[in-house]
Amino acid sequence: MTKLTVLGTGYLGATHAACMAELGHEVLGVDIDEGKIAKLQEGQVPFFEPELEEVLQRNIKAGRLRFSTSYREAAEWGTAHFLCVGTPQKRGEYAADLRYVESVIDELAPHITEPAVIYGKSTVPVGTAARLGARARALSPAGAQLEVAWNPEFLREGFAVGDTLHPDRLVVGIDPQRPGRAEELSREIYATAIAAQTPFLVTDLATAELVKVAANAFLATKISFINAMAELCEAADADVTVLADAIGHDARIGRRFLNAGLGFGGGCLPKDIRAFMARAGELQAHQALTFLREVDNVNMRRRTRMVELTRETFDGSLIGTRLAVLGAAFKPDSDDVRDSPALNVAGQLQLQGANVTVYDPQAMDNARVLFPTLEYATSLTEACEGADAVLVLTEWQQFRDLDPADLAELVRGTRVLDGRNCLDAQRWTAAGWTYRGLGRY
Ligand code: UGA
């Protein structure tokens, strides 16, 4: 079993650290945030992710997992270091902000004296790994014995543990000019998945970096494609949910990621397609990704359309209306509100004069920080009491399971707006509600 470190303990790092320990490795998780490290060391996950807390606690107890704020300790502990810090969008620009990845290299490399490999997992612009490699070698007493490889991560929030323990593929990018131990060591670390026949692809650094952004760009494009079809359906009185089912039966197209609605948000897809466009521009290849600008536009238009649809429901004015917004997280089974379509819509509705009360099963605390001026209810019932309309903007199972007849007793107006096309329109209509979805009549 390998002694390894995980640098950065956010969604990606905390999950990777716990899951690597679950596979039997001896893991040290490192972060500069002392509060986060103290929580993790006590077995508490600072965010909502199903199953993660059990895995974390089990492995701390077993002595395979611990946390620290010291890079010196990290350098002394492991021969494999997984770089898992964030690469957010730069303020006022499309490009990714690489200051956190660079600072990990700057903090760690000077302490590395023995041969070691740093595996980057963060999503970065193509070319970053080669640059970080040169930087690490220059800073480390180990010099050329310190390798930088790229091992992109494809986990989804809400399924992070399952996706890490049973990935659908593993990709390791290695500097072809400097073949070292990176491939061999990664095969040891991922031996369980490799034994389970998980495809294991060894590439050069640039290809590995591109695989990650290409995958996210494809997913974003698929969502915006169906949302563009939703616009057409709205114009032509057709139903995008039926259309998605019908084209999804073609195995070449597939039904997954073809749910029309409010579109994509979160900490990955929106900023990744923008950073990808910015990088293409730097490489004089901007034409290749011009379509992503349209993908972004279609996506943002869905939020505006949702606000319009709500206004239409009230004959053109939202002033004085009471609206219950169900959902604040960018998707269900997560408490992440980064670039959340639901909160964005809630904020716009409020600006147009509506009294908006938000409820989410997990994301209330994060939502309050990001949108402090919205009102928040402590329960679904409280949010819906006396509402003139109920808007479902994140498709939590709890909202899908709502009984329209019961809910009708609570509200003042039986209008439901389904921003995720996740409710059974017929059932709601039969219970006396006015139902409106996106891309449906
Ligand atoms: C995404 C990718 O799916 C992961 O493979 C990747 O590892 C991750 O980004 C990352 O780069 O770290 P995630 O951000 O967790 O994962 O969320 P997704 O499940 O991809 O959903 C993104 C958004 O698209 C959500 O707002 C969701 O509501 C929306 N979506 C998804 C749709 O609007 N329609 C769909 O059919 C599917």
Side-chain angles (χ1 to χ4, degrees):
M1 288 300 150
T2 312
K3 280 171 108 176
L4 56 90
T5 80
V6 174
L7 311 161
T9 57
Y11 287 97
L12 166 60
T15 308
H16 193 66
C19 290
M20 289 301 106
E22 180 79 358
L23 293 174
H25 301 299
E26 291 180 70
V27 182
L28 176 69
V30 177
D31 202 293
I32 51 169
D33 183 336
E34 287 180 13
K36 212 185 256 180
I37 288 298
K39 268 195 158 179
L40 287 164
Q41 188 59 53
E42 281 169 22
Q44 288 171 32
V45 177
F47 49 87
F48 177 77
E49 182 59 49
E51 294 177 52
L52 184 54
E53 203 146 89
E54 292 93 278
V55 180
L56 179 81
Q57 290 174 358
R58 183 160 59 238
N59 286 284
I60 292 175
K61 228 185 213 159
R64 285 188 298 266
L65 176 60
R66 63 194 177 84
F67 294 90
S68 164
T69 53
S70 162
Y71 279 99
R72 177 186 292 274
E73 203 179 336
E76 285 164 5
W77 172 257
T79 46
H81 305 279
F82 287 90
L83 198 167
C84 294
V85 291
T87 51
Q89 189 176 337
K90 271 190 191 163
R91 232 169 224 279
E93 279 180 57
Y94 267 15
D97 183 348
L98 297 177
R99 84 176 86 161
Y100 306 106
V101 271
E102 283 163 0
S103 117
V104 169
I105 298 291
D106 294 351
E107 295 292 326
L108 180 73
H111 297 297
I112 294 185
T113 52
E114 304 284 325
V117 184
I118 299 174
Y119 294 96
K121 288 191 90 61
S122 312
T123 304
V124 291
V126 58
T128 305
R131 199 162 52 72
L132 293 180
R135 193 166 173 139
R137 288 191 297 278
L139 287 170
S140 168
Q145 305 265 58
L146 175 56
E147 295 168 51
V148 170
W150 219 258
N151 171 218
E153 178 59 55
F154 307 107
L155 68 78
R156 296 159 298 166
E157 287 178 24
F159 302 91
V161 170
D163 285 352
T164 308
L165 292 176
H166 310 288
D168 49 17
R169 80 285 209 192
L170 287 159
V171 175
V172 179
I174 285 166
D175 188 345
Q177 317 284 295
R178 310 171 177 277
R181 282 202 61 213
E183 180 182 343
E184 185 195 334
L185 189 58
S186 64
R187 284 185 186 276
E188 279 168 40
I189 294 167
Y190 294 123
T192 312
I194 293 170
Q197 311 297 323
T198 307
F200 186 86
L201 290 94
V202 179
T203 71
D204 55 77
L205 290 173
T207 304
E209 291 170 311
L210 279 174
V211 165
K212 169 67 193 196
V213 274
N216 276 3
F218 189 87
L219 294 172
T221 305
K222 199 168 178 190
I223 298 168
S224 276
F225 174 83
I226 200 64
N227 281 332
M229 294 306 110
E231 290 187 354
L232 257 308
C233 286
E234 280 155 16
D237 282 337
D239 187 331
V240 73
T241 62
V242 180
L243 182 140
D245 289 344
I247 63 172
H249 282 302
D250 184 331
R252 293 169 303 175
I253 296 172
R255 182 62 181 81
R256 293 177 75 191
F257 262 66
L258 219 48
N259 293 322
L262 265 185
F264 57 84
C268 301
L269 300 192
K271 64 109 175 148
D272 285 355
I273 60 167
R274 292 173 194 155
F276 201 12
M277 283 186 267
R279 186 65 184 135
E282 287 168 9
L283 295 168
Q284 318 300 328
H286 62 275
Q287 271 188 331
L289 298 186
T290 319
F291 74 97
L292 285 180
R293 189 176 287 272
E294 210 41 48
V295 166
D296 205 353
N297 281 334
V298 170
N299 192 51
M300 299 314 275
R301 278 207 299 273
R302 290 289 77 193
R303 302 178 185 186
T304 319
R305 174 66 192 138
M306 188 73 212
V307 176
E308 267 170 24
L309 190 68
T310 316
R311 222 180 25 228
E312 280 169 19
T313 313
F314 290 99
D315 299 325
S317 172
L318 292 171
I319 294 169
T321 56
R322 287 192 58 183
L323 305 178
V325 162
L326 302 184
F330 84 104
K331 67 172 192 180
D333 299 311
S334 167
D335 65 355
D336 195 343
V337 296
R338 287 176 292 174
D339 201 355
S340 164
L343 278 183
N344 183 304
V345 167
Q348 289 190 54
L349 293 168
Q350 191 192 37
L351 287 175
Q352 297 198 13
N355 297 305
V356 180
T357 307
V358 179
Y359 173 72
D360 188 284
Q362 291 294 339
M364 301 292 273
D365 291 345
N366 289 342
R368 264 193 208 97
V369 174
L370 203 64
F371 275 84
T373 55
L374 288 169
E375 279 193 41
Y376 295 93
T378 50
S379 67
L380 193 152
T381 310
E382 192 188 315
C384 294
E385 255 166 15
D388 296 308
V390 175
L391 285 79
V392 178
L393 303 187
T394 312
E395 68 276 34
W396 284 93
Q397 193 60 44
Q398 185 188 0
F399 306 155
R400 291 171 177 268
D401 291 344
L402 277 170
D403 182 340
D406 289 351
L407 199 67
E409 308 279 310
L410 279 179
V411 295
R412 191 160 71 185
T414 44
R415 303 175 185 90
V416 65
L417 292 126
D418 185 359
R420 292 291 179 182
N421 292 325
C422 63
L423 305 176
D424 181 340
Q426 276 178 1
R427 190 164 164 242
W428 284 75
T429 311
W433 290 73
T434 307
Y435 173 95
R436 299 295 302 271
L438 287 173
R440 312 171 88 171
Y441 35 82

